[in-house]
Amino acid sequence: MVSLVSRTGRQMQRYNFHGHRQVVGCIPYRYKGTHGTSIVDEDAIEVLVITSQRKGKGMLFPKGGWEKDESIIEAALRETHEEAGVVGEVELELGKWNFKGKNDETCYEGHMFSLLVKEQLDIWPEKDCPSKNMGEC
């Protein structure tokens, strides 16, 4: 069973040995239809992006904080469910990178995975959230 409430707060947040907040996310994708063929052409793949809640941020892949009580895969699945409303199978770690937040000097360590979408939900925790920072979604 999946929760319809997003996690909030930073008390369970993970930080690396440099003190950088660790975030994790997925690049969700699915095949439009292979019609029984084993060769997939690039037009047969759809990739999901989400709209940022902050003005000027554009389109993003779902990602968020990795918490102490979950594995990196559990965090990737949770964030993708909360922000994008899809569930699926995490496949490969695509990479790790370090970056600074745009509004402050906070440093982050990001981890991104590919996720084969198995189900697209009608409702999810942050579907209509006006601002993820308000803690109400």
Side-chain angles (χ1 to χ4, degrees):
M1 183 170 166
V2 240
S3 172
L4 290 179
V5 178
S6 294
R7 286 188 172 199
T8 58
R10 297 272 165 86
Q11 58 274 28
M12 293 289 290
Q13 190 63 59
R14 287 182 189 249
Y15 294 84
N16 69 11
F17 65 94
H18 294 296
H20 300 169
R21 183 172 168 233
Q22 293 179 304
V23 297
V24 61
C26 288
I27 298 178
Y29 75 95
R30 67 181 176 193
Y31 298 107
K32 290 182 188 178
T34 57
H35 306 294
T37 62
S38 60
I39 299 174
V40 177
D41 108 23
E42 63 188 39
D43 293 332
I45 296 176
E46 295 177 315
V47 175
L48 175 70
V49 291
I50 60 173
T51 305
S52 172
Q53 297 296 328
R54 294 188 207 148
K55 186 177 180 186
K57 290 282 247 175
M59 305 300 279
L60 310 166
F61 292 115
K63 72 174 182 333
W66 176 15
E67 298 188 357
K68 295 176 185 175
D69 65 340
E70 58 192 353
S71 71
I72 194 168
I73 300 299
E74 290 169 335
L77 288 167
R78 177 183 51 78
E79 285 296 336
T80 304
H81 165 255
E82 287 178 358
E83 294 189 354
V86 294
V87 293
E89 294 176 18
V90 172
E91 295 182 323
L92 301 170
E93 182 166 8
L94 300 173
K96 175 179 132 180
W97 78 106
N98 294 298
F99 62 98
K100 284 188 179 183
K102 286 195 175 193
N103 295 335
D104 57 19
E105 291 299 310
T106 303
C107 293
Y108 298 89
E109 175 185 280
H111 300 263
M112 195 61 76
F113 295 86
S114 60
L115 179 120
L116 177 59
V117 174
K118 296 293 185 178
E119 184 179 2
Q120 185 174 341
L121 306 172
D122 292 327
I123 55 173
W124 60 93
E126 297 179 17
K127 179 179 181 181
D128 298 315
C129 187
S131 173
K132 292 197 294 190
N133 296 328
M134 294 177 69
E136 297 178 13
C137 292

